[in-house]
Amino acid sequence: MDQDLLSKIAEEIKKMVDVKKNSSTNENRERVDDVMAGMSSITEYVGVAIGDTVGLVIANLDLHLHEKMGLDPKYRSIGIISARTGAGPQIYAADEAVKATNTEIVSIELARDTKGGAGHGCIIIFAAEDVSDARRAVEVTLKELDRTFGDVYACDAGHIELQYTARASLALEKAFNAPLGKAFGIIVGAPAAVGLLMADTAMKTANVDIVTYSSPDKGTAHSNEIIISITGDSGAVRQSVISAREIGLAVLKSMGQNPISVTKPQI
């Protein structure tokens, strides 16, 4: 694999998070400080994270937008997570956020975004009666992304993604019809053929149930992926995800690539 290309991909994904930390010159530090000072004056701004992810909050949503979005009248505040690269990591991070806050997941939408290579971008909207809950949900989601990107492996030929939780909550139910409180995993492979092989391997590895199946023309925003979600006994789901990861990595390596974790593997 072209290590320069891989480094460029990793740098692009992480630049919004690392720019202040990695600024080495006085000029760069001053530029970053100016940007951050400008952001602090925007009350709706919460933060940014890996995957070109931005977190915002609206304390009192416009009445006309509120109506068009079909929100429950009791919810006046919303938290917003939007990203150009990734969907599974953001959804799993949002799942942790709703466990920790008094919020509801209003919607989760996947966008076809070419910055994500063969995959998706996303927008996730939380609703809350109190703006502090909406803001906290966004903060938790942004913080969790470093972990949930751990089993996303990218290279020029494609990517694979694995997600696992021992207890699915409202975000996963909203996005994938996950059974609440049950172990739940997602397996993604691109190009789509890699995803199909990963899905088959996962289903044959352990006694798990398939919940959803998505392909380029079914259940995705025409992305070049096959995605399955699975549930079952916690140990079985985890083992299926691990087996799918190994076969997916092996195929991408056979294409002359060396896919590496975007952050640090967690599963």
Side-chain angles (χ1 to χ4, degrees):
M1 148 144 208
D2 186 337
Q3 290 298 326
D4 289 339
L5 178 60
L6 185 57
S7 297
K8 184 177 179 181
I9 294 171
E11 180 181 355
E12 180 67 22
I13 293 174
K14 296 179 179 179
K15 66 181 181 180
M16 292 301 292
V17 180
D18 296 339
V19 63
K20 188 169 185 178
K21 177 181 176 182
N22 294 333
S23 295
S24 57
T25 68
N26 288 334
E27 181 181 353
N28 282 343
R29 282 196 296 270
E30 289 173 2
R31 177 177 59 83
V32 172
D33 288 341
D34 287 345
V35 171
M36 297 308 293
M39 290 299 96
S40 65
S41 67
I42 302 174
T43 58
E44 294 85 0
Y45 178 82
V46 179
V48 294
I50 190 171
D52 295 291
T53 305
V54 63
L56 305 170
V57 65
I58 299 176
N60 191 25
L61 187 66
D62 176 83
L63 288 174
H64 300 291
L65 282 174
H66 195 283
E67 180 181 353
K68 289 294 184 182
M69 292 172 68
L71 297 182
D72 188 315
K74 70 180 181 179
Y75 295 129
R76 296 302 307 145
S77 302
I78 63 170
I80 310 163
I81 291 289
S82 188
R84 296 207 59 197
T85 303
Q90 286 84 357
I91 295 169
Y92 266 75
D95 204 58
E96 295 304 312
V98 294
K99 294 174 185 176
T101 61
N102 186 25
T103 57
E104 177 184 330
I105 294 286
V106 174
S107 65
I108 298 175
E109 298 179 71
L110 308 187
R112 180 71 180 97
D113 193 318
T114 55
K115 189 164 188 178
H120 291 94
C122 67
I123 181 167
I124 302 170
I125 299 177
F126 301 92
E129 296 182 55
D130 191 316
V131 66
S132 63
D133 283 316
R135 178 175 288 274
R136 180 58 182 157
V138 172
E139 291 172 344
V140 171
T141 303
L142 294 174
K143 182 179 179 180
E144 286 287 318
L145 287 179
D146 191 65
R147 176 183 64 82
T148 58
F149 263 97
D151 283 278
V152 177
Y153 298 79
C155 63
D156 191 43
H159 67 264
I160 67 170
E161 177 189 337
L162 300 310
Q163 300 289 346
Y164 165 81
T165 181
R167 183 172 65 90
S169 190
L170 297 174
L172 291 172
E173 181 192 41
K174 188 79 170 181
F176 301 106
N177 295 316
L180 291 174
K182 302 293 184 180
F184 191 73
I186 295 176
I187 295 159
V188 183
V194 178
L196 185 55
L197 180 59
M198 292 171 66
D200 184 68
T201 300
M203 295 304 297
K204 291 175 177 175
T205 294
N207 184 23
V208 295
D209 296 318
I210 187 167
V211 180
T212 59
Y213 170 88
S214 301
S215 62
D217 201 37
K218 178 184 178 182
T220 73
H222 297 288
S223 62
N224 190 7
E225 302 169 289
I226 281 181
I227 306 167
I228 67 165
S229 62
I230 58 176
T231 190
D233 176 76
S234 178
V237 172
R238 192 172 188 277
Q239 188 55 53
S240 291
V241 167
I242 291 171
S243 296
R245 177 179 63 190
E246 298 312 308
I247 195 69
L249 289 173
V251 174
L252 289 181
K253 287 177 181 178
S254 78
M255 299 168 72
Q257 304 292 303
N258 183 30
I260 63 172
S261 168
V262 172
T263 57
K264 181 180 179 181
Q266 300 291 322
I267 301 174

